[in-house]
């Protein structure tokens, strides 16, 4: 067992974990943050996407021990003071979800794209979402949702171009 | 076209299916004005809570936010035949509508009684019962729900509480239809296909929520395009599944799929009073032949007589090579090479 | 938009109301079955056959039982007493023939949740591990030691129907489940006399539904009352309840089945699965809550697959391209066992291989067979995509044959607009239709005429 300490959604968390424990299971089972989902076992689907130290990552490809000392943001941490994040609003406005299972990962991937300064035309967004699979929506509304949110977010706080760290 | 709205129970019996095709719903007007709908269908992403609320909101003069839809729990929705075969609206939604109509019928009797007029002197306008010629004398369904719950002044022969249930056994299937047109561009050197344009015009009869309908079409089309170009479960001669996980079986991402242009025509169904047909399976039914016909149409310009799905890049490249008299060498199976794909014949046939 | 049959105007129906389901889903508050944790919960994992067809010569679970956290390991024979009946087929299609032709009973072989002495597809369950954590359960499945005596593998439809084919279910004399026929009019005569006959063969490979949520189930017993609450990622909670009663012998009034938030199905969660039955049976046996969640690659073998059909499709027509008859022969791959609805899936398409087109004669025949592969069942459209695929591809082929534009040939053959039930060539009464309107609109939206001109004028451009 190894001791880790990290910040999750702004709260400091400490735990003893097995070295083989994946971050996604740490979030879901140790911390009870079940919003992040497991959809596959080959890192293909992206349902497990979270933000880690400012970048979107598939939490099934990260060991909990690797997240020691990191800042992790999950879907549960997006809304602040009951106010939905622009991405959440945009997904709802644009019917960007149906069963909702891929949605937390999609939203976090969208957040990662927008905050990295990525271009927001159709092709750029679609390419940026290559790692996130959805079986319900056919993606068109997801793309629109991310574009709409980007428009709002970049208007209110001009993005630092190429600012992924 | 499709055959949907599973289904007339008697017909299912003749087809040797063990179950029925009816659907049941109940609509309950709670004393403080909210409405509870219990549906026998079982959603898994289709937005029933939303669309069923819209139906009941119109039927009872409330808002969708006033309506709660319960489903998927056998202790709450005690009767039901669940969701598949595009039946939730055309069987389930119709049952809900019938139940709501029965609620309104009972409410009409109560309204007449409370307003001390004959039922014929009432009209249902703007979501309430109004006395004809005296619109300020009116009753809403939520008001009547409270009266029926307090039950201080019930008409002769009418029981307290305002609720009703209904079962709908469809007299026929429903038959959504439409036309999808796909435009592709193929690079013969790599075999890769790019969908330039995808147009889907669908007719699902009466539309409850066009946003939900569009979502269902797009999701189905995505799966249908994937079936045409990308997906194939490949077994070898030992019965081993070679495409055994998400990295070897191609479920497409947004990067591999196009945008869609959607249109509608509306031809109400004669099967049910709402005229609804269902839309859930449209995309997967229409897209595979639309895409494959486009691919086939394109490839005839390079002498390819026939091609079947999935029209993967490798397959297209091979048939183009063959058609141009350059038989490609045998190689290890991947995505349907010789010897590995159990479904594909050695020679792609098709006598025309 | 056409009026709904209501005297008053609609206010909400017909409008794009934002979804009421979304607020909890976009905030990660949706509760899917894998999100459910109960005190004292035990986790299940399954040892599965790595081979497609074999006798189980021996199975040794002693090593698995000794691993950390393992509560129990069960084989097929050890669980035999749990089942009041074998796994269900709700659509046991029998051969359907015409007067004078031989008929046959439904051929539904016994199918048990855990294989007893033989496996018939790669992925079939051979042992169940119950442990205190998911990891411990999975670790122990790898320690289950099974000796397989491999048998010949029937790996395709062609192999299943071949002369001298190895018969998978020895209680029957062949791998055939049924042959089902539908005829309307005299197709043989029409085809013999028609000036134009177009034939093509289409393959529909098996598909994996890949709903993004893997399957899963949690069963919570109240042992003293013999009651069970079951959460399952299922499309059919009502059916699951009925079959839990029939297969486990638990009174219906003692079972509550809940489909919580379910992450897509597309037909793949329209099934009564071995894993569901086993999870509830072990909750009963052990008197403790039990849980199982599928891994994605496990699901590729364990979850029903879609399609798996070979079609020989033919149309008879005039030189102008007017349809006279449709004749289609199907061969359908059922997999190793008769699934819940699998045998009926081809039948769902049987009646409309003529699509939205009119014709005089119609003939459909389907032979369904067993193979040593995962059972097939419904996948979005279930039988109808297969039918429409064949119809629409052959219409294009017909158009090429008579030298006309594919849209023109379709328009020529459409059933004219109707709003009341109308009998069609496949003996279904379609409810209403205005097929020309959708075609016209689609052509307009895509710029069809301009595209065709561009295609003709250019280098062919490989544009389709």
């Amino acid at each position: 067992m190894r001791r880790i300490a990290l910040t999750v959604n702004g709260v400091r968390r400490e735990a003893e974990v097995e070295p083989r424990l994946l971050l996604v299971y740490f979030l879901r089972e140790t911390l009870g943050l079940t919003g992040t989902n497991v959809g596959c076992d080959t890192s293909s689907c992206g349902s497990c996407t979270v933000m880690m130290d400012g970048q979107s990552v598939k939490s099934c490809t990260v060991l909990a021990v690797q997240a020691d000392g990191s800042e992790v943001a999950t879907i549960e941490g997006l809304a602040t003071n009951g106010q939905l994040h622009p991405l959440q609003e945009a997904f709802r406005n644009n019917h960007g979800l149906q069963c909702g299972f891929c949605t937390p990962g999609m939203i976090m991937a969208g957040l990662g794209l927008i905050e990295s300064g990525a271009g927001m035309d159709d092709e750029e967004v679609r390419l940026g979402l290559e790692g996130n699979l959805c079986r319900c929506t056919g993606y068109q509304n997801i793309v629109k949702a991310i574009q709409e949110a980007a428009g709002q977010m970049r208007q209110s706080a001009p993005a630092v171009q190429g600012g992924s760290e | 076209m499709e055959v949907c709205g599973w289904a007339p129970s008697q017909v299912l019996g003749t087809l040797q299916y063990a179950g029925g095709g009816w659907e049941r719903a109940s609509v309950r007007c709670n004393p403080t004005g909210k409405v509870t709908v219990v549906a026998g269908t079982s959603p898994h992403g289709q937005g029933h809570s939303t669309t069923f609320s819209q139906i009941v909101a119109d039927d009872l003069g409330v808002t969708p936010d006033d309506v709660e839809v319960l489903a998927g729990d056998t202790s709450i929705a005690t009767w039901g035949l669940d969701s598949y075969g595009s039946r939730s609206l055309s069987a389930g939604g119709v049952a809900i509508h019938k139940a709501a109509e029965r609620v309104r019928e009972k409410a009409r009797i109560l309204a007449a009684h409370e307003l001390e007029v004959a039922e014929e002197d009432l009209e249902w306008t703007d979501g309430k019962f109004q006395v004809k010629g005296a619109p300020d004398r009116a009753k809403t369904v939520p008001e009547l729900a409270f009266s029926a719950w307090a039950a201080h002044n019930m008409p002769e022969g009418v029981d307290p509480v305002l609720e009703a249930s209904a079962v709908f056994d469809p007299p026929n299937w429903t038959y959504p239809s439409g036309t999808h047109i796909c435009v592709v561009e193929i690079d013969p050197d790599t075999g890769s296909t790019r969908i330039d344009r995808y147009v889907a015009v669908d007719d699902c009869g009466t539309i409850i929520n066009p946003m939900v309908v569009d979502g269902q079409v797009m999701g189905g089309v995505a799966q249908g395009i994937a079936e045409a170009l990308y997906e194939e479960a490949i077994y070898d001669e030992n019965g081993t599944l070679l495409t055994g996980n998400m990295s070897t079986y191609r479920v497409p991402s947004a990067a591999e799929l196009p945008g869609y242009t959607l249109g509608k025509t509306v031809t109400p169904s004669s099967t049910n009073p709402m005229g609804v047909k269902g839309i859930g399976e449209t995309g997967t039914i229409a897209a595979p032949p639309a895409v494959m016909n486009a691919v086939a149409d394109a490839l005839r310009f390079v002498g390819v007589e026939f091609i079947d799905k999935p029209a993967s890049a490798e397959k297209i490249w091979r048939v183009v090579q063959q058609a141009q008299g350059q038989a490609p060498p045998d190689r290890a199976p991947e995505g349907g090479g010789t010897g590995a794909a159990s479904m594909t014949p050695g020679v792609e046939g098709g006598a025309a | 938009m056409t009026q709904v049959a209501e005297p008053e105007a609609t206010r909400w129906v017909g409008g794009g109301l934002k979804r009421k389901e979304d607020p909890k889903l976009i905030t990660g508050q949706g509760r899917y079955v894998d999100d459910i944790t109960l005190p004292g919960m035990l986790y299940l994992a399954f040892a599965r056959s790595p081979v497609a067809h074999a006798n189980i010569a021996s199975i040794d679970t002693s090593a698995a039982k000794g691993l950390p956290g393992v509560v129990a390991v069960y084989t097929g024979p050890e669980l035999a007493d749990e089942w009041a009946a074998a796994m269900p087929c709700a659509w046991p299609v029998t051969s359907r023939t015409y007067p004078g032709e031989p008929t046959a009973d439904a051929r539904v072989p016994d199918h048990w949740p855990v294989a007893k002495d033989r496996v018939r597809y790669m992925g079939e369950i051979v042992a169940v591990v119950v442990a205190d954590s998911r990891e411990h359960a999975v670790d122990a499945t790898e320690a289950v030691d099974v000796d397989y005596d491999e048998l010949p593998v029937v790996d395709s439809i062609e192999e299943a129907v071949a002369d001298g084919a190895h018969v998978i279910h020895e209680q029957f004399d062949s791998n055939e489940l049924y042959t089902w026929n539908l005829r309307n009019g005299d197709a043989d005569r029409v085809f013999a006399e028609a000036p134009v006959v177009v034939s093509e063969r289409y393959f529909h490979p098996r598909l994996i539904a890949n709903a993004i949520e893997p399957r899963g189930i949690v069963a919570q017993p109240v042992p003293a009352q013999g009651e069970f609450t079951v959460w399952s990622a299922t499309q059919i909670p009502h059916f699951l309840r009925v079959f839990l009663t029939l297969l486990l012998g638990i009174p219906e009034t003692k079972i509550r089945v809940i489909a919580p938030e379910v992450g897509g199905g597309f037909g793949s969660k329209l099934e009564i699965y071995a894993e569901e039955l086993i999870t509830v049976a072990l909750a009963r046996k052990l008197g403790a809550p039990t849980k199982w969640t599928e891994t994605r690659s496990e699901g590729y073998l364990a979850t029903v697959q879609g399609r798996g059909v070979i079609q020989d499709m033919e149309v008879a027509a005039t030189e102008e391209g007017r349809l006279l008859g449709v004749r289609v022969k199907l061969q359908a791959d059922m997999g190793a066992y008769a699934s819940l609805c699998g045998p009926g899936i081809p039948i769902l398409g049987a009646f409309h291989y003529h699509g939205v087109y009119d014709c005089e004669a119609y003939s459909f025949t389907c032979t369904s067979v067993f193979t040593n592969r995962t059972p097939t069942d419904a996948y979005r459209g279930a039988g109808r995509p297969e039918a429409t695929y064949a119809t629409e591809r052959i219409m294009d082929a017909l158009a090429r044959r008579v030298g006309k534009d594919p849209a023109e040939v379709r328009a020529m053959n459409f059933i004219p607009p109707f709003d009341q039930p109308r009998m069609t060539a496949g003996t279904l009464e379609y409810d209403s239709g205005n097929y020309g309107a959708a075609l016209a609109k689609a052509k307009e939206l895509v710029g069809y005429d301009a595209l065709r001109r561009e295609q003709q004028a250019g280098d062919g451009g490989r544009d389709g």
Side-chain angles (χ1 to χ4, degrees):
Chain A
M1 299 291 265
R2 296 264 297 275
R3 183 150 204 86
I4 60 171
L6 61 158
T7 306
V8 181
N9 296 332
V11 176
R12 182 177 169 80
R13 310 300 301 248
E14 293 182 14
E16 293 261 320
V17 300
E18 278 191 48
R20 63 169 171 170
L21 184 68
L22 296 174
L23 177 59
V24 65
Y25 288 117
F26 175 72
L27 294 169
R28 288 179 55 76
E29 295 174 354
T30 313
L31 300 187
L33 292 168
T34 57
T36 305
N37 291 319
V38 175
C40 75
D41 51 7
T42 47
S43 308
S44 309
C45 77
S47 297
C48 64
T49 308
V50 299
M51 292 292 278
M52 186 164 134
D53 295 331
Q55 274 189 302
S56 59
V57 297
K58 291 185 177 179
S59 59
C60 71
T61 60
V62 180
L63 296 169
V65 294
Q66 287 177 294
D68 186 28
S70 292
E71 278 200 32
V72 174
T74 72
I75 188 74
E76 289 95 335
L78 261 200
T80 42
N81 299 323
Q83 185 78 3
L84 289 179
H85 189 279
L87 267 166
Q88 290 168 312
E89 294 274 13
F91 266 71
R92 184 165 189 225
N93 292 340
N94 289 281
H95 189 32
L97 63 150
Q98 292 182 22
C99 82
F101 194 79
C102 77
T103 305
M106 272 301 172
I107 288 178
M108 301 313 278
L111 183 61
L113 267 187
I114 295 171
E115 292 198 341
S116 74
M120 284 285 129
D121 75 19
D122 277 5
E123 204 176 319
E124 286 162 322
V125 174
R126 285 176 178 272
L127 217 47
L129 291 179
E130 220 176 11
N132 288 75
L133 299 181
C134 171
R135 241 351 201 176
C136 291
T137 67
Y139 300 109
Q140 181 155 295
N141 287 348
I142 290 175
V143 173
K144 279 162 62 176
I146 291 174
Q147 289 168 329
E148 179 182 298
Q152 280 181 30
M153 288 164 66
R154 287 177 177 176
Q155 209 173 50
S156 47
V160 176
Q161 290 301 314
S164 64
E165 229 125 33
Chain B
M1 55 124 333
E2 321 139 53
V3 181
C4 294
W6 187 293
S9 300
Q10 198 180 45
V11 169
L12 293 175
T14 64
L15 295 178
Q16 299 175 303
Y17 172 71
W22 49 264
E23 199 39 80
R24 182 187 184 275
S26 73
V27 174
R28 181 166 79 231
C29 297
N30 299 294
T32 57
K34 304 297 185 190
V35 179
T36 300
V37 173
V38 178
T41 47
S42 301
H44 36 284
Q46 301 94 322
H48 296 169
S49 225
T50 306
T51 49
F52 293 169
S53 297
Q54 287 174 263
I55 294 169
V56 171
D58 274 357
D59 283 345
L60 299 182
V62 296
T63 69
D65 275 342
D66 292 329
V67 181
E68 166 192 50
V69 178
L70 303 178
D73 182 334
T74 60
S75 288
I76 296 174
T78 47
W79 292 111
L81 293 178
D82 301 315
S83 292
Y84 39 83
S86 305
R87 71 186 300 270
S88 297
L89 179 60
S90 50
V94 176
I96 290 171
H97 176 61
K98 271 180 76 168
E101 284 191 319
R102 286 182 185 171
V103 164
R104 203 169 70 215
E105 271 320 295
K106 181 168 178 177
R108 175 185 284 269
I109 298 169
L110 285 180
H113 182 74
E114 289 192 15
L115 292 166
E116 293 171 335
V117 296
E119 283 179 51
E120 312 82 72
D121 294 332
L122 284 178
E123 58 190 1
W124 174 259
T125 313
D126 287 342
K128 44 186 182 264
F129 292 108
Q130 287 177 185
V131 177
K132 287 177 188 169
D136 52 306
R137 299 192 63 220
K139 288 283 174 187
T140 66
V141 167
E143 285 172 337
L144 297 165
F146 184 82
S147 307
W149 179 77
H152 295 158
N153 178 21
M154 300 299 288
E156 186 80 31
V158 178
D159 291 332
V161 304
L162 187 57
E163 69 164 11
S165 63
V167 179
F168 178 62
D169 195 341
N172 191 6
W173 305 81
T174 58
Y175 303 86
S177 62
T179 298
H180 290 206
I181 302 183
C182 179
V183 184
V184 302
E185 247 184 71
I186 298 179
D187 181 343
D189 295 330
T190 62
S192 69
T193 300
R194 196 176 76 92
I195 296 181
D196 236 13
R197 232 171 298 178
Y198 192 100
V199 167
V201 175
D202 292 288
D203 194 323
C204 59
T206 303
I207 294 172
I208 306 300
N209 185 323
M211 185 190 75
V212 167
V213 168
D214 285 352
Q216 287 296 308
V217 172
M218 290 192 285
V221 167
Q223 285 180 306
I225 292 173
E227 182 175 335
L229 297 181
Y230 304 123
E231 291 185 41
E232 184 180 8
I234 302 178
Y235 280 84
D236 72 7
E237 65 279 359
N238 297 315
T240 302
L241 179 61
L242 299 178
T243 52
N245 56 50
M246 254 183 187
S247 74
T248 48
Y249 180 95
R250 285 191 79 186
V251 176
S253 72
E256 282 92 44
L257 290 169
Y260 321 104
T261 303
L262 306 178
K264 297 285 171 299
T265 58
V266 179
T267 313
S269 173
S270 59
T271 296
N272 59 69
M274 294 175 71
V276 297
K277 295 194 179 190
I279 192 68
E281 293 162 307
T282 314
T284 40
I285 289 173
V291 175
M292 287 309 297
N293 277 342
V295 169
D297 186 62
L299 291 179
R300 68 192 162 91
F301 286 96
V302 291
V304 174
E305 286 298 317
F306 176 81
I307 185 168
D308 211 346
K309 61 181 171 79
S312 64
E314 180 185 343
K315 184 184 282 185
I316 290 180
W317 178 83
R318 280 175 181 276
V319 298
V320 169
Q321 294 292 304
Q322 276 173 0
Q324 294 179 339
Q326 291 145 52
D330 271 341
R331 57 184 291 275
E334 191 234 67
T338 37
S342 57
M343 298 291 298
T344 315
V347 173
E348 249 139 2
Chain C
M1 185 187 122
T2 312
Q3 222 26 28
V4 179
E6 289 278 293
E8 57 291 315
T10 62
R11 293 190 308 158
W12 298 102
V13 166
L17 183 72
K18 284 194 279 199
R19 294 198 337 161
K20 296 168 64 177
E21 293 87 342
D22 290 357
K24 71 170 154 10
L25 300 176
I26 55 180
T27 50
Q29 292 171 37
R31 199 165 82 139
Y32 300 87
V33 75
D34 193 50
D35 299 340
I36 297 171
T37 314
L38 299 170
M41 198 162 76
L42 299 174
Y43 296 80
L44 270 59
F46 298 102
R48 298 180 180 275
S49 169
V51 294
H53 200 196
N55 286 319
I56 298 174
S58 69
I59 176 164
D60 184 356
T61 57
S62 53
K65 282 175 178 158
L67 288 181
V70 174
V71 167
V73 183
Y74 300 105
T75 62
E78 288 167 346
L79 288 180
D81 289 343
E82 298 296 321
W83 321 121
M87 287 180 64
C89 172
W91 206 336
V93 177
T94 57
S95 286
R96 181 184 195 268
T97 52
Y98 285 83
E101 296 172 356
T103 59
D105 289 330
R107 292 173 144 205
V108 177
D110 278 348
H111 183 194
W112 301 102
V114 185
K116 288 182 176 170
D117 52 11
R118 180 178 292 185
V119 293
R120 294 181 179 85
Y121 67 97
M122 179 183 176
E124 188 166 359
I125 297 170
V126 297
V128 189
V129 172
V130 190
D132 61 358
S133 75
R134 192 172 23 83
E135 292 86 358
H136 286 155
V138 172
D139 287 346
T141 60
E142 287 158 21
V144 174
D145 190 8
V146 188
D147 226 336
Y148 294 99
D149 269 340
E150 292 190 52
L151 295 166
V153 172
V154 177
D155 78 323
S156 65
I157 291 176
E158 291 96 332
E159 275 223 18
V161 301
D163 279 335
H166 185 90
V167 175
I168 295 172
H169 294 287
E170 286 157 352
Q171 63 197 111
F172 309 128
D173 59 3
S174 75
N175 291 312
E176 183 181 311
L177 201 67
Y178 64 78
T179 293
W180 199 92
N181 300 294
L182 174 67
R183 296 199 272 273
N184 188 24
D186 190 346
D188 288 344
R189 179 189 57 78
V190 166
F191 272 81
E193 295 173 359
V196 171
V197 171
V198 179
S199 311
E200 287 193 333
R201 174 173 258 219
Y202 307 118
F203 288 84
H204 295 259
R206 283 157 164 263
L207 299 177
I208 313 273
N210 274 298
I212 303 296
E213 183 208 18
R215 291 191 291 122
I217 177 167
V218 172
Q220 181 176 40
V222 181
Q225 315 255 104
E227 289 173 356
F228 298 84
T229 302
V230 175
W231 293 262
S232 181
T234 178
Q235 292 174 236
I236 50 171
H238 292 96
F239 284 98
L240 181 55
R241 182 171 182 242
V242 169
F243 285 113
L244 283 172
T245 293
L246 293 176
L247 270 57
L248 267 57
I250 303 170
E252 205 176 342
T253 43
K254 301 270 190 188
I255 307 176
R256 176 181 185 182
V257 177
I258 301 170
E261 225 70 66
V262 176
F266 316 113
S268 69
K269 290 172 179 165
L270 164 58
E271 194 66 44
I272 303 297
Y273 280 106
E275 297 88 355
E276 290 173 310
L277 301 168
I278 295 164
T279 302
V280 179
L282 292 183
R284 173 175 64 181
K285 193 175 179 67
L286 299 169
T290 49
K291 177 175 183 175
W292 170 75
T293 307
E294 183 185 71
T295 69
R296 179 62 59 181
S297 40
E298 180 179 26
Y300 271 48
L301 295 171
T303 296
V304 290
Q305 297 180 359
R307 316 287 189 250
V309 172
I310 301 175
Q311 297 164 319
D312 286 297
M313 179 72 169
E314 297 185 286
V315 287
T318 66
E319 288 288 356
E320 294 75 41
R322 190 163 263 297
L323 267 190
L324 298 170
V326 171
R327 186 162 63 190
V328 57
K329 178 179 171 216
L330 255 67
Q331 294 171 285
D333 177 358
M334 299 286 104
Y337 298 99
S339 60
L340 189 69
C341 298
I345 302 306
I347 309 303
L348 280 176
F351 297 85
H352 68 102
Y353 273 77
H354 61 86
V356 295
Y357 313 108
D358 223 346
C359 67
E360 183 191 320
Y362 185 85
S363 170
F364 170 95
T365 182
C366 174
T367 298
S368 287
V369 298
F370 294 114
T371 63
N372 288 120
R373 293 190 277 193
T374 299
T376 56
D377 206 323
Y379 171 58
R380 203 165 187 177
R384 291 148 290 148
E386 295 90 310
T388 300
Y389 184 84
T391 309
E392 292 304 314
R393 288 221 60 193
I394 205 95
M395 289 304 278
D396 257 35
L398 175 63
R400 277 196 297 277
R401 167 68 178 74
V402 300
K404 288 193 169 149
D405 179 87
E408 188 191 331
V409 168
R410 284 172 170 81
M412 177 197 308
N413 283 294
F414 278 151
I415 298 168
F418 62 107
D419 59 8
Q420 289 304 307
R422 185 199 196 280
M423 181 53 70
T424 64
T427 72
L428 283 176
E429 269 198 331
Y430 289 2
D431 60 354
S432 67
N434 187 353
Y435 309 122
L439 175 62
K441 192 158 193 173
K443 283 175 70 177
E444 186 194 313
L445 284 173
V446 86
Y448 187 82
D449 294 336
L451 276 171
R452 283 296 185 202
R453 282 196 298 274
E454 191 186 316
Q455 194 184 37
Q456 294 307 322
D459 56 348
R462 290 97 192 182
D463 283 356

